[in-house]
Amino acid sequence: MEFSDDLIEALKMAKRVVVLTGAGVSAESGVPTFRGPDGIWKKFKAEDLATLDSFMARPELVWEWYNWRRDLMSNVKPNPGHMAITEMEVMFLSFWLVTQNVDGLHQRAGSKKVLPLHGNIFDSYCMECGKYYADPPFKDGLPRCSCGGLIRPDVVWFGEQLDPELITKAFDAAEKAQVFLSVGTSAVVMPAASLPVVAKRSGAYVVEINPERTELSDMLDEFIEGKSGEVMPELVKRLKAK
Ligand code: BJW
Ligand code: ZN
């Protein structure tokens, strides 16, 4: 696989690197993406399920979706793309992995400098008292807290604020990045989708890695057409080769 001299040069000089990931990096582990052809669960789009309104209207349905995904995600393994990103973490003075994924695969691959913007599917909390549960107790089809409150997954739905500390760190890292890689995301969901744009505006060399072009592709420095599990390990190999 050939990489441009510009990219290799930028990475070799870089002290501050940010990688943004989306569902595409977990696709090769067997986790369906949201907006691809396999991304429709029982004919529902993410936009129909990942909102507080849907949860309040049909909590059983939304919990069914989350239980199905949790089960799937606990039975898959990190792929070479996750591994390569973990290896990159120690190659630069400052490195942040900003992920939109809730599957925990980056953390399982060993990544430490992770900002999980959209939460963690394996945690849940009570909507009344805020108590956290790793394994929420289901009663009559719905998980209920000891206080009687309804328990929800610890993820960020449409219309909800991201953790201010995480999003501040992510924007700060994007502004300071010298190289920014956007991997496996359709780059449509805000505010994550604005991170590559912010990085670009602040002078970073911004590269997108995806088998398909996105709305951002033309704005960035480079588009590398390919799968994360193939491109990322090759890139790390190329960087180690000197
Ligand atoms: C591969 C591959 C391989 C395949 N290798 N690549 C209008 C304009 C602007 C904004 C808005 C608007 N209307 C509403 C909004 C706001 C909204 C938003 O952005 N909506 C857009 C859809 C328009 N955003 C929000 O609501 C956010 N909150 C917010 O803005 O708060 C502001 C606020 C202020 C004040 C008060 C209140 C609020 C929150 C967004 C939360 C998103 N949550 C979800 C669900 C998380 C929990 C869960 O997982 O269940 O996050 S939705 C879903 O989309 C999930 C993902 O993280 C996110 C992004 O998707 P991703 O990762 O990009 O996946 P895909 O499937 O879209 O793309 C996969 C890509 O991989 C594709 O490109 C493939 O080609 C590629 N690929 N194989 C590499 N092997
Ligand atoms: Zn409670």
Side-chain angles (χ1 to χ4, degrees):
M1 195 176 287
E2 284 285 319
F3 294 101
S4 76
D5 291 343
D6 284 350
L7 172 58
I8 297 305
E9 208 43 45
L11 278 169
K12 286 199 166 157
M13 300 294 292
K15 293 192 165 66
R16 293 181 299 278
V17 171
V18 172
V19 175
L20 169 70
T21 62
V25 300
S26 295
E28 290 156 90
S29 291
V31 179
T33 61
F34 291 93
R35 297 172 181 80
D38 306 322
I40 309 251
W41 177 79
K42 295 192 180 178
K43 299 195 200 125
F44 296 98
K45 294 184 286 181
E47 283 78 357
D48 298 333
L49 296 162
T51 74
L52 182 60
D53 285 350
S54 336
F55 183 69
M56 294 320 282
R58 302 171 78 179
E60 294 89 354
L61 174 79
V62 175
W63 262 113
E64 193 193 339
W65 183 49
Y66 278 97
N67 283 332
W68 173 78
R69 290 174 58 211
R70 276 181 182 210
D71 197 41
L72 193 150
M73 288 169 179
S74 55
N75 285 302
V76 299
K77 292 198 300 287
N79 67 57
H82 296 107
M83 297 308 200
I85 295 169
T86 302
E87 278 194 71
M88 285 184 82
E89 181 168 294
V90 294
M91 297 173 104
F92 305 95
L93 191 64
S94 157
F95 179 92
W96 283 107
L97 167 57
V98 182
T99 188
Q100 299 169 81
N101 298 344
V102 298
D103 57 28
L105 288 174
H106 285 302
Q107 292 88 338
R108 280 172 56 196
S111 284
K112 299 269 185 287
K113 308 266 309 211
V114 194
L115 303 173
L117 293 186
H118 294 163
N120 170 4
I121 201 167
F122 297 104
D123 280 335
S124 309
Y125 65 91
C126 170
M127 295 171 79
E128 297 298 326
C129 73
K131 183 174 173 190
Y132 271 81
Y133 287 88
D135 224 340
F138 274 78
K139 243 184 251 149
D140 311 321
L142 281 177
R144 292 274 176 193
C145 180
S146 45
C147 83
L150 185 56
I151 297 173
R152 61 164 280 177
D154 185 19
V155 297
V156 181
W157 285 325
F158 287 110
E160 295 185 327
Q161 300 256 30
L162 282 71
D163 178 331
E165 198 180 315
L166 293 180
I167 194 67
T168 304
K169 277 193 183 169
F171 274 103
D172 186 56
E175 274 168 22
K176 292 183 177 141
Q178 293 158 319
V179 177
F180 186 107
L181 308 178
S182 178
V183 193
T185 175
S186 58
V188 292
V189 174
M190 296 296 226
S194 63
L195 291 166
V197 182
V198 165
K200 174 75 186 143
R201 213 187 290 139
S202 312
Y205 194 78
V206 185
V207 177
E208 186 174 52
I209 294 144
N210 198 309
E212 314 275 348
R213 299 185 76 86
T214 73
E215 277 174 39
L216 290 186
S217 309
D218 291 333
M219 271 187 242
L220 310 177
D221 292 291
E222 266 186 56
F223 171 73
I224 301 177
E225 182 183 337
K227 295 181 173 178
S228 148
E230 291 167 9
V231 178
M232 296 310 286
E234 283 292 321
L235 184 58
V236 166
K237 205 164 101 191
R238 177 75 180 74
L239 288 176
K240 282 181 171 170
K242 182 79 207 110

